[in-house]
Amino acid sequence: MLASGHGPLMAIGFLGALIGLERAVALRRSWGYLSPLLAAVGTLLWVLGFSAGPIVALASSAVLIGLYLVAARQQFSWHIAVMGLGAICLGIGMWLWAARTTFSQVTPWWGAFLVLTIAGERLELARLQKLSGKILLLFLLSLAILAIGLVLTLVSLDLGVRVLSVGMLVVALWLLRYDIARRTVYQTGLVRFIAICLLSGYFWLGVAGALGLFWGGVTAGTYYDALWHALFVGFVFSMIFGHAPSIFPALLRVRIPFSASFYIPLALLHLSLILRVLGDLALWQIGRQWGGLLNAIAILFFFANAARTAISHRRPHPQ
């Protein structure tokens, strides 16, 4: 179960719970903590073989949608709407999972949840650049393509994934062109590290879009592995690496000072993912295995290194 079902473990048990926790903390709603709790418990139940696991996880997405509704009532904005749409995609994916739909049909919805959540967060920061209405319209049109692709996966997985991939490509190009990281990458220290993480993540989002456009709705095998790991590992974990020094202190009440050593797991993540994707595309089993192993080592190394820097520079977190 653990080997074949690491997708739900990472997408729901870790990433879904992490995003739910961040939203609950940001909005200061005690009931919002049910979202990460239910996501973690539901995934654990599924791993243990209980059929109720996906249903419990589905309830977590309902709580997350509720959190976004609260945020929209407080002050509506496009970035909240985009992230709320991502939560709806998560809920639909959860529903498909609970209905025992194949993972090849569930994964696009979980992937869209993460893409929309991250894109919404970046749109919020993009407001600092005072983007024109035409640029915002282009962003919304790219999301519309992505949404159309998702709906089409319910009818034709192959066609839906190809349209969805076009949407991912356009979103990646938009972010590469208009995200503030294009400017902050020329600064130093933590600001530059974050920008490099973001820009490299957008690159992997584009790679995932290109692979999906070319291979379509593959349901298993090496091409499936390359497509979705480019998204979940390359794109998503690049974002996590970049945001961890600022998000985790807010969640855990500990300070994580920036260290140049953060670049080591970031480089290892990208190099190992290149090895993994090339191994997938060339049907090179050793490359695939080593790439996957080094992916996991890079992620564990990053969090261990972040914990080390936090412990060695322990200071009271400002209230």
Side-chain angles (χ1 to χ4, degrees), residues 3-307:
S4 61
H6 67 284
L9 280 173
M10 294 304 298
I12 308 305
F14 176 63
L15 298 172
L18 180 63
I19 291 171
L21 178 61
E22 188 273 334
R23 285 290 91 193
V25 171
L27 292 172
R28 299 180 179 179
R29 293 294 190 275
S30 57
W31 54 267
Y33 290 97
L34 285 172
S35 178
L37 177 63
L38 292 172
V41 171
T43 307
L44 179 61
L45 288 174
W46 178 77
V47 169
L48 295 176
F50 293 96
S51 60
I55 299 175
V56 174
L58 174 61
S60 76
S61 63
V63 176
L64 183 60
I65 292 171
L67 286 170
Y68 283 117
L69 288 174
V70 169
R73 288 187 62 183
Q74 289 178 349
Q75 184 178 5
F76 177 82
S77 61
W78 280 113
H79 76 271
I80 290 295
V82 170
M83 290 190 286
L85 179 61
I88 293 173
C89 290
L90 174 65
I92 295 174
M94 295 285 206
W95 177 78
L96 292 171
W97 184 29
R100 299 186 179 183
T101 307
T102 60
F103 280 128
S104 60
Q105 289 193 301
V106 173
T107 302
W109 293 91
W110 288 348
F113 157 61
L114 296 168
V115 171
L116 290 169
T117 299
I118 294 169
E121 291 176 344
R122 301 313 301 170
L123 180 63
E124 180 181 13
L125 291 177
R127 294 184 303 174
L128 299 174
Q129 303 180 80
K130 298 181 179 180
L131 301 177
S132 68
K134 290 182 179 180
I135 295 175
L136 175 60
L137 179 60
L138 178 61
F139 178 81
L140 296 177
L141 286 175
S142 68
L143 298 187
I145 297 172
L146 190 148
I148 291 171
L150 282 174
V151 174
L152 287 175
T153 61
L154 300 175
V155 180
S156 170
L157 181 63
D158 185 69
L159 176 61
V161 169
R162 292 181 192 274
V163 176
L164 172 67
S165 298
V166 172
M168 290 194 295
L169 269 172
V170 178
V171 171
L173 291 173
W174 191 96
L175 290 169
L176 283 168
R177 173 63 181 84
Y178 297 111
D179 193 275
I180 197 172
R182 285 193 61 185
R183 299 181 182 179
T184 57
V185 73
Y186 296 107
Q187 298 186 25
T188 59
L190 177 60
V191 175
R192 184 176 188 178
F193 173 76
I194 293 173
I196 290 174
C197 289
L198 295 176
L199 294 174
S200 58
Y202 303 154
F203 164 78
W204 283 112
L205 177 60
V207 169
L211 292 173
L213 182 60
F214 189 80
W215 295 112
V218 286
T219 58
T222 59
Y223 300 147
Y224 178 90
D225 184 88
L227 163 59
W228 295 114
H229 282 93
L231 179 68
F232 286 98
V233 176
F235 174 60
V236 175
F237 273 95
S238 291
M239 301 297 108
I240 292 176
F241 282 17
H243 288 94
S246 56
I247 291 181
F248 286 175
L251 297 179
L252 304 177
R253 299 297 180 183
V254 294
R255 183 172 179 265
I256 303 179
F258 171 71
S259 169
S261 62
F262 287 0
Y263 282 104
I264 299 175
L266 178 65
L268 180 60
L269 180 79
H270 293 311
L271 291 174
S272 59
L273 186 55
I274 290 172
L275 177 62
R276 180 176 193 158
V277 170
L278 289 178
D280 281 330
L281 300 182
L283 304 180
W284 179 31
Q285 185 65 18
I286 295 178
R288 291 186 63 215
Q289 292 175 341
W290 274 102
L293 175 62
L294 292 173
N295 282 166
I297 291 174
I299 293 169
L300 293 174
F301 180 27
F302 177 81
F303 289 116
N305 188 47

